[in-house]
Amino acid sequence: MSMPDLKEIIEKSKRICFFGGAGVSTESGIPDFRSGDGIYSEEYGELSPEVILSHTFFISHPDVFYRFYREKIIYTGAKPNGAHRALAELERRGALNAVVTQNIDGLHQAAGSNNVIELHGSVYRNYCMECGRKYGLSHVMKADGVPLCENCGGLVRPDVVLYEEPLDDEVVARAVQSIQAADTLIIGGTSLVVYPAAGLIRHFCGDNLAVINKSPTYADRIATLVIHDSIAKALSNAVLP
Ligand code: NAD
């Protein structure tokens, strides 16, 4: 029997769940962490992104954190690519029930997806650590240095999960539920090395597991279909007219 192709798998699926990461947005111009030209290959003094984007570092050096964050993490001009658009189209057709993402860039919603489960939060939500007042991204971007609360002067932080911080229980529960309910799981643009997020795929018990990732992942050996290529190309060829 020959290997089914992605289009065939998608066409016979009723409840697809997509599980993705930074590789979904590289074709929108947002670098990932672990590709050759990803953020990890760049120099920021002696500090790795994992150190700068940690809770301890944020609290002790919010000025350096925010400099790095504005320079390397936020891409306000980025637009959804074919991968985001194809997933939104599958949801519109009623074939996909959820996008579970490790990304914080809001591009799935920008493409029109409604049920997006953001495991690591979103750069578009920010709040004061003292009084809880909420802020959009513009407050963070226009601040000169560290963004402070207009209300109480407290430190404003992004509603993103920093290294050392736990995932939100309710968000994880929604992700597990969507993965468990799926007949097909498509994993894409993720190195599957960031835990606990990467461990959530073990809850999948459906028929077809497709992996679309430029480099190999640990899920390749249990997948029905593995595509080591561009995710925007693979998904738009399979879904978009
Ligand atoms: P990662 O950087 O560890 O891995 C990305 C993977 O995607 C790599 O295996 C790479 O081979 C693959 N890839 C890159 N471009 C691709 C493409 N066009 N088509 C197919 N595959 C491609 O990313 P991760 O697993 O998501 O873990 C990194 C962490 O960093 C996550 O926690 C995420 O929250 C965060 N992050 C988010 C963004 C974002 O929001 N856009 C960007 C960088 C990092």
Side-chain angles (χ1 to χ4, degrees):
M1 205 177 71
S2 64
M3 216 189 217
D5 72 10
L6 187 61
K7 199 170 169 57
E8 279 166 30
I9 291 179
I10 287 174
E11 279 169 3
K12 68 179 183 205
S13 303
K14 295 190 174 68
R15 290 177 314 281
I16 300 169
C17 179
F18 178 78
F19 182 92
V24 175
S25 294
T26 53
E27 290 166 85
S28 294
I30 304 179
D32 63 9
F33 279 4
R34 290 175 188 81
S35 289
D37 51 359
I39 295 176
Y40 275 17
S41 64
E42 294 178 15
E43 285 293 315
Y44 216 81
E46 301 283 285
L47 302 168
S48 74
E50 244 156 11
V51 169
I52 301 177
L53 298 174
S54 70
H55 179 87
T56 309
F57 193 86
F58 175 71
I59 298 299
S60 56
H61 302 89
D63 49 339
V64 182
F65 172 93
Y66 270 114
R67 186 153 53 85
F68 179 85
Y69 186 76
R70 290 194 195 96
E71 277 174 23
K72 307 281 186 198
I73 303 292
I74 306 290
Y75 290 81
T76 46
K79 300 272 185 296
N81 63 50
H84 302 102
R85 286 195 298 274
L87 293 165
E89 170 61 19
L90 287 174
E91 188 191 64
R92 261 193 301 275
R93 286 184 200 165
L96 177 143
N97 60 1
V99 168
V100 179
T101 184
Q102 300 165 82
N103 293 349
I104 54 178
D105 57 30
L107 288 181
H108 287 293
Q109 292 91 332
S113 285
N114 293 306
N115 193 22
V116 182
I117 302 169
E118 295 174 311
L119 293 171
H120 294 158
S122 170
V123 300
Y124 289 99
R125 296 189 298 269
N126 302 272
Y127 63 92
C128 170
M129 293 179 77
E130 302 300 323
C131 74
R133 181 165 167 179
K134 292 177 177 157
Y135 291 93
L137 180 58
S138 64
H139 183 74
V140 167
M141 293 310 281
K142 71 180 186 224
D144 192 16
V146 176
L148 298 175
C149 181
E150 287 165 354
N151 203 25
C152 73
L155 178 59
V156 171
R157 66 161 285 175
D159 189 5
V160 304
V161 179
L162 300 175
Y163 288 98
E164 305 165 351
E165 293 177 343
L167 303 188
D168 182 277
D169 288 341
E170 254 176 64
V171 175
V172 170
R174 284 176 58 213
V176 168
Q177 211 173 27
S178 303
I179 292 168
Q180 267 171 352
D183 55 359
T184 293
L185 180 66
I186 304 176
I187 298 174
T190 172
S191 59
L192 292 179
V193 300
V194 177
Y195 280 79
L200 295 178
I201 64 165
R202 75 175 186 275
H203 294 282
F204 178 63
C205 50
D207 300 329
N208 297 295
L209 175 63
V211 177
I212 312 166
N213 204 65
K214 282 192 173 165
S215 53
T217 73
Y218 86 80
D220 291 9
R221 67 185 166 80
I222 48 167
T224 326
L225 173 69
V226 178
I227 301 174
H228 287 157
D229 200 350
S230 144
I231 188 157
K233 190 169 90 186
L235 280 177
S236 42
N237 284 347
V239 174
L240 298 176

